[in-house]
Amino acid sequence: MYSLLNISGLTIGIAGFLMILFYIVDEKSYDRFYSNSGDIYRITSHWGTEEGSQYATAPPPLGQSLKDISEVEAVTRILKWNDFTVQPETGPNADQIFREASVFYAEPNFFEVFDFEILAGSSIALEGGKSVIITESTAKRYFGEIPTAEVVGKNLLIGSGSTDLMMVTSVIKDIPSQSHFHFDMLVHNIEMHREIFLMDNWMWSILHTYVKVKTNQKDALSGKLKQIVDNEIRPRLSGDQASTDFYFGLQPVQDIHLHSHLLREHEVNGYQSYVNILSLVGLIVLSLASINFMNLSTAKSTKRSLEVGVRKVMGSKRFQLVGQFMAEAFVLVLVSTLLSLVLVELSNGLFNQISGKQIRFNIFQLSWIWGVIPLLILSLSVLAGFYPAFYLSSFQPLKVIKGVQIQGKNTIGLRSGLVVFQFSISLILIICALIVQRQLGFIQKSNIGFDREQLLIVHNDGEIKNEEREIFKSRFASSSLIASLAFSTGIPLPGNFQMRGFSLPENNADNGMNWYESDDDYVTTLKMEIKSGRNFSDIPGSDKSKALINERAAAILGISENPIGQKIIKNQGADDEAELEVIGILMDFNFESLREEIKPLVIEYMDDYFLRDYITVRLKPGDFDAGISALQATWKEFEPRVPMNYTFLDEDFQAIYRSEMQMGKLMNALTMISIFIAFLGLFGLTAYTVQQRSKEIGIRKVFGAGHAEIFLLLSVSYVKLIAISCLIGIPLAYLLIGRWLDDFAFKVPFELWIFLTAGFGCLGLAIVTVAFQSYKSIGTNPIKILKSL
């Protein structure tokens, strides 16, 4: 039993630690596969210190300026503008049309900064006027299973109405999952390059700009970026903007995934704090398994004391005994580690399902794991075996052989302290896991100010044109499947709207606010609430230059008392300056993450918008598939070539919290492991306690002690230890989880039942464990017990 308990606890503890280690290595390995990844930086734009004014992008002219700076080895820029409609000119899929969302406009020198693996073609593949680079999997989708070398030179028809013929000039290996941006296709288009990349507009941060900096030249480049701000940006700032602390940041590409949460990020990034939390919990799980070994070894000391005494009488030295016990610990750790590797391999699929990763636990192909495993075995052998080895080897042979009690108060106190530590940690993890799940449930079900259920978002890249919007909407006026639909240039998700400056006519103080346009059905489709005023009119064009604003925007503009009819100026002094009339106040709603406070929002009436927009569709309850099919059929009437690209808003909303969801699931798994290890240790300790006190139990029963009295005798010491664990664990859990919740502007309150549930749950499990072990001893005839002693 001793070996089984130790090996089980160590195996599960090591397996949990290794799986968390794989996760951490994956999170920390983002953007490190480039040959000079340490020299690659992204230029970011910061309008002051507020989070709502910091961008992962930079203005177009900056790229041209950087090319003339000696500290810069190379600079390249990319742009995500719209979706692409693609049709192979030849091949088995020549009759199919693909809607591609992961497409970037790029510059010809892209590979000078990002050296992705090229399978066919060359690194100067974008030099031509209309050339594309595609990934290996995209090549297979278009042209089937042919050699990649044969894909180069093939043509793609790109566009819906008037198609452009573009040539595949290179095929690259699929982008690794550990990248902060992913694409299926890179396009270089001379017209787009001239229109956007060469634009002389220092106030529009639109391009993701990357530089490869010469060795040890980062500080010098930072100084020159300050000079560019002084020469190009500050002269263009006027009014209140003149005092804005604008600056360009140099962000290491290796830091983006865990440390960057700016506007216009390519993808949702992770959090370094979550990696730190999981690292700590992984080490704790490992330490709990080691504590089990120490506790069981010292508890078992009475069984081995005679062995130690005899060995010492026969001439064994203390260092020999220490070596023996350390060797035993090493063997148990080695066996446990080998079993844990098997368990890790078997749990690969389950772990990926829990973590949302696609990690392959192939220990034979990962060189770093062979450095970790020996170190882990050695560390655990010393950690788990050091104290028991020195404790057991310290017994005095004469006292042992005479049968003198060899367990001292210090050993019992240490063992009790370790049990308290185990259950304090388990209690902290239980409380934290419960509150994390409560917060995630709150995120999923909270009232964010509009109804996000049953909403379908169709990405309209000009397929349904300005003049066709009302006709398209009229097709569903009496539909039994579609409740309503609306057009807008933004949707309530981070990064899916724009920023504009707003001020009052009599005050040129410019306030940066979130902005997009919508038609008259938008508010009703999303079921937003209008606090005062009215919605846009259903008469087309009648509300041109009118706007709805939220409560927060009204407060910032200082018009909360009498907002209806107020005039506000959009982008005062800019080419697109416009005067808007406020006709309604929307109740504040969350259009970003619940981590953020609600920010000001202006929704302008949608009139003659020609760029990419969205169609928000509210499906009626029931047959969603039929509703989607009806939409697709109508879509094909207006644009037969382009497939309809859509997502569900609630699923898009959940994707914002991918890191939280992953951490929550991993926390649950680690909490279960820690509870199992702690109670495994308690199971072993109670078994030895019952065995050690069997003579006492027999005598007490002879003198009339009942079952309840014996059970109370055996359990009271452990109940005290659990109670002490509660006194330690609950306040610590309150402080720790409180710090995590502080990252959310909207969060669940602390509730007493969570702490009581965790505390009484641990206590109940401990009592059940003691009862299970003591039942047989309590029910045994005391005469039999005394005869066997």
Side-chain angles (χ1 to χ4, degrees):
M1 186 184 71
Y2 168 78
S3 297
L4 179 63
L5 290 175
N6 272 321
I7 290 174
S8 299
L10 285 170
T11 297
I12 294 172
I14 294 169
F17 172 78
L18 287 176
M19 284 188 274
I20 291 301
L21 187 60
F22 276 108
Y23 179 88
I24 292 168
V25 168
D26 184 82
E27 285 287 283
K28 299 288 285 184
S29 63
Y30 270 68
D31 297 298
R32 295 176 185 270
F33 51 84
Y34 307 113
S35 59
N36 295 299
S37 60
D39 297 327
I40 301 174
Y41 295 83
R42 183 173 68 179
I43 307 292
T44 56
S45 303
H46 302 260
W47 296 81
T49 57
E50 295 184 7
E51 290 185 4
S53 303
Q54 302 182 28
Y55 295 85
T57 49
L62 179 63
Q64 297 300 116
S65 298
L66 289 170
K67 292 177 181 178
D68 300 326
I69 294 178
S70 59
E71 288 81 8
V72 175
E73 185 175 330
V75 55
T76 195
R77 298 167 295 172
I78 56 177
L79 171 67
K80 174 70 170 69
W81 187 255
N82 49 17
D83 293 350
F84 272 55
T85 302
V86 182
Q87 183 178 11
E89 186 183 39
T90 60
N93 297 318
D95 58 340
Q96 292 190 37
I97 298 174
F98 299 87
R99 181 73 175 264
E100 299 292 357
S102 299
V103 180
F104 288 123
Y105 286 104
E107 294 186 291
N109 66 340
F110 178 81
F111 288 110
E112 292 180 16
V113 177
F114 300 108
D115 52 355
F116 290 102
E117 183 179 348
I118 299 173
L119 301 178
S122 70
S123 60
I124 58 171
L126 289 177
E127 291 289 350
K130 291 186 177 181
S131 54
V132 299
I133 295 172
I134 59 177
T135 61
E136 184 180 15
S137 58
T138 305
K140 290 179 180 178
R141 280 194 289 119
Y142 292 166
F143 304 107
E145 297 290 340
I146 64 173
T148 53
E150 296 181 18
V151 174
V152 175
K154 292 188 177 296
N155 292 322
L156 299 174
L157 298 168
I158 295 182
S160 52
S162 57
T163 57
D164 288 334
L165 196 65
M166 305 190 80
M167 181 185 294
V168 177
T169 51
S170 187
V171 178
I172 65 172
K173 199 170 183 64
D174 287 345
I175 312 302
S177 59
Q178 296 91 356
S179 173
H180 78 280
F181 69 96
H182 295 83
F183 59 86
D184 295 322
M185 182 184 298
L186 292 177
V187 177
H188 179 58
N189 182 285
I190 292 177
E191 289 79 11
M192 176 60 76
H193 190 267
R194 186 183 302 115
E195 183 179 346
I196 301 294
F197 287 73
L198 299 181
M199 178 188 293
D200 187 24
N201 185 345
W202 284 94
M203 308 306 290
W204 188 25
S205 296
I206 186 63
L207 297 176
H208 286 88
T209 304
Y210 299 88
V211 294
K212 182 186 286 188
V213 181
K214 292 179 181 178
T215 306
N216 300 323
Q217 295 299 309
K218 178 191 172 185
D219 292 340
L221 177 58
S222 296
K224 292 190 176 179
L225 285 173
K226 291 178 182 178
Q227 293 177 10
I228 292 175
V229 170
D230 292 337
N231 296 335
E232 302 293 349
I233 301 293
R234 298 207 181 282
R236 291 174 168 82
L237 299 177
S238 59
D240 281 4
Q241 284 187 336
S243 60
T244 300
D245 183 23
F246 180 90
Y247 65 95
F248 289 123
L250 268 177
Q251 188 175 52
V253 71
Q254 295 178 351
D255 291 349
I256 291 175
H257 176 64
L258 292 178
H259 299 276
S260 184
H261 305 92
L262 306 177
L263 295 174
R264 296 179 183 159
E265 294 282 1
H266 287 296
E267 301 172 8
V268 177
N269 290 322
Y271 290 87
Q272 179 64 47
S273 59
Y274 292 172
V275 172
N276 295 340
I277 290 170
L278 291 174
S279 301
L280 179 61
V281 175
L283 289 171
I284 286 172
V285 167
L286 202 58
S287 68
L288 292 180
S290 301
I291 288 171
N292 268 4
F293 184 94
M294 294 172 65
N295 271 345
L296 292 175
S297 297
T298 55
K300 187 172 170 263
S301 59
T302 53
K303 289 290 182 182
R304 303 200 67 177
S305 59
L306 189 60
E307 173 195 345
V308 172
V310 172
R311 285 183 181 275
K312 283 194 170 184
V313 168
M314 298 297 292
S316 292
K317 304 297 182 185
R318 186 174 183 182
F319 76 88
Q320 292 175 312
L321 293 172
V322 169
Q324 176 198 336
F325 294 127
M326 289 294 292
E328 290 176 6
F330 174 80
V331 170
L332 282 173
V333 170
L334 178 62
V335 171
S336 300
T337 303
L338 295 175
L339 290 175
S340 71
L341 293 175
V342 175
L343 183 59
V344 164
E345 184 67 30
L346 294 175
S347 305
N348 199 168
L350 178 62
F351 177 82
N352 284 337
Q353 185 179 349
I354 292 172
S355 67
K357 294 282 188 181
Q358 293 299 320
I359 302 172
R360 184 74 183 94
F361 293 158
N362 193 332
I363 61 173
F364 297 105
Q365 293 182 2
L366 298 171
S367 57
W368 62 266
I369 197 69
W370 293 109
V372 171
I373 293 298
L375 184 62
L376 183 65
I377 293 172
L378 183 62
S379 301
L380 279 178
S381 299
V382 173
L383 180 65
F386 182 81
Y387 178 76
F390 277 86
Y391 171 70
L392 291 172
S393 64
S394 67
F395 295 160
Q396 297 180 22
L398 187 58
K399 289 184 178 181
V400 169
I401 293 172
K402 283 183 176 181
V404 178
Q405 182 70 26
I406 47 84
Q407 288 212 57
K409 291 183 179 179
N410 290 340
T411 303
I412 295 172
L414 175 64
R415 198 157 61 241
S416 299
L418 292 175
V419 170
V420 168
F421 175 79
Q422 280 187 310
F423 279 94
S424 296
I425 293 298
S426 298
L427 195 63
I428 290 170
L429 291 178
I430 292 170
I431 292 171
C432 290
L434 286 173
I435 293 180
V436 166
Q437 291 307 312
R438 289 264 299 158
Q439 177 66 16
L440 294 178
F442 172 76
I443 289 170
Q444 294 171 342
K445 299 176 182 178
S446 62
N447 180 10
I448 57 175
F450 67 93
D451 185 3
R452 62 177 178 260
E453 303 298 325
Q454 300 169 209
L455 283 181
L456 193 76
I457 306 297
V458 179
H459 299 258
N460 178 36
D461 198 12
E463 288 82 12
I464 310 300
K465 299 175 178 58
N466 271 341
E467 61 274 14
E468 298 174 330
R469 289 174 186 150
E470 293 302 321
I471 301 172
F472 184 84
K473 288 165 64 175
S474 68
R475 297 293 181 89
F476 303 98
S478 58
S479 172
S480 61
L481 300 169
I482 308 297
S484 63
L485 58 87
F487 285 82
S488 66
T489 64
I491 52 176
L493 285 172
N496 287 276
F497 38 78
Q498 300 178 51
M499 292 285 292
R500 294 290 187 271
F502 287 91
S503 59
L504 299 178
E506 65 275 10
N507 183 0
N508 63 358
D510 192 48
N511 301 283
M513 297 187 181
N514 300 290
W515 166 90
Y516 57 88
E517 298 181 351
S518 80
D519 65 13
D520 56 287
D521 288 315
Y522 185 76
V523 170
T524 54
T525 299
L526 272 75
K527 297 185 179 180
M528 296 175 177
E529 295 183 39
I530 296 179
K531 182 181 180 180
S532 61
R534 65 175 177 86
N535 190 13
F536 295 127
S537 170
D538 59 0
I539 301 174
S542 62
D543 276 336
K544 183 177 180 180
S545 299
K546 302 288 196 301
L548 303 171
I549 66 175
N550 68 352
E551 296 172 281
R552 180 64 179 153
I556 290 176
L557 290 168
I559 58 174
S560 296
E561 295 297 325
N562 187 26
I564 306 305
Q566 287 277 1
K567 303 292 185 180
I568 59 176
I569 307 299
K570 179 181 72 173
N571 281 2
Q572 190 172 42
D575 294 339
D576 60 343
E577 177 181 331
E579 183 179 78
L580 306 177
E581 179 185 346
V582 177
I583 63 170
I585 301 296
L586 295 171
M587 297 284 286
D588 281 342
F589 65 94
N590 294 95
F591 52 89
E592 291 188 298
S593 165
L594 293 183
R595 287 176 170 272
E596 313 291 340
E597 297 283 356
I598 294 177
K599 293 175 182 165
L601 175 67
V602 177
I603 301 179
E604 184 180 347
Y605 181 74
M606 189 176 185
D607 181 70
D608 196 28
Y609 191 83
F610 61 91
L611 299 175
R612 173 179 178 152
D613 58 25
Y614 303 92
I615 308 173
T616 302
V617 183
R618 180 166 295 282
L619 300 170
K620 288 184 177 179
D623 193 349
F624 287 175
D625 290 338
I628 294 171
S629 296
L631 271 171
Q632 289 174 326
T634 305
W635 176 276
K636 286 183 179 179
E637 294 178 22
F638 287 80
E639 181 47 83
R641 276 183 52 81
V642 183
M644 187 179 80
N645 182 22
Y646 65 90
T647 58
F648 283 96
L649 185 62
D650 57 347
E651 293 177 358
D652 293 338
F653 189 79
Q654 296 305 321
I656 301 171
Y657 305 98
R658 184 188 64 190
S659 294
E660 285 83 356
M661 298 294 180
Q662 288 176 355
M663 193 198 74
K665 291 178 180 179
L666 289 171
M667 277 288 292
N668 287 344
L670 290 171
T671 300
M672 295 300 294
I673 290 173
S674 69
I675 293 171
F676 177 80
I677 291 173
F679 281 96
L680 203 65
L682 184 61
F683 182 87
L685 284 177
T686 52
Y688 282 114
T689 301
V690 169
Q691 191 178 48
Q692 223 173 4
R693 302 182 71 174
S694 58
K695 182 178 180 180
E696 177 188 353
I697 292 170
I699 293 172
R700 286 182 179 273
K701 291 190 72 175
V702 167
F703 281 94
H707 289 188
E709 185 180 344
I710 299 298
F711 173 72
L712 186 63
L713 174 73
L714 293 172
S715 62
V716 68
S717 60
Y718 292 107
V719 170
K720 288 179 181 178
L721 295 179
I722 301 299
I724 294 171
S725 300
C726 290
L727 293 175
I728 296 172
I730 289 176
L732 286 175
Y734 177 85
L735 293 173
L736 291 172
I737 199 64
R739 291 186 63 181
W740 179 74
L741 285 175
D742 285 342
D743 289 337
F744 292 88
F746 301 88
K747 55 197 172 188
V748 293
F750 286 111
E751 294 179 304
L752 182 61
W753 71 265
I754 294 176
F755 299 96
L756 293 177
T757 299
F760 282 111
C762 276
L763 185 61
L765 285 172
I767 291 173
V768 169
T769 303
V770 175
F772 179 81
Q773 280 288 23
S774 58
Y775 174 77
K776 183 178 179 181
S777 179
I778 292 173
T780 304
N781 190 321
I783 304 300
K784 289 184 178 180
I785 295 174
L786 295 174
K787 278 184 176 181
S788 64
L789 298 174

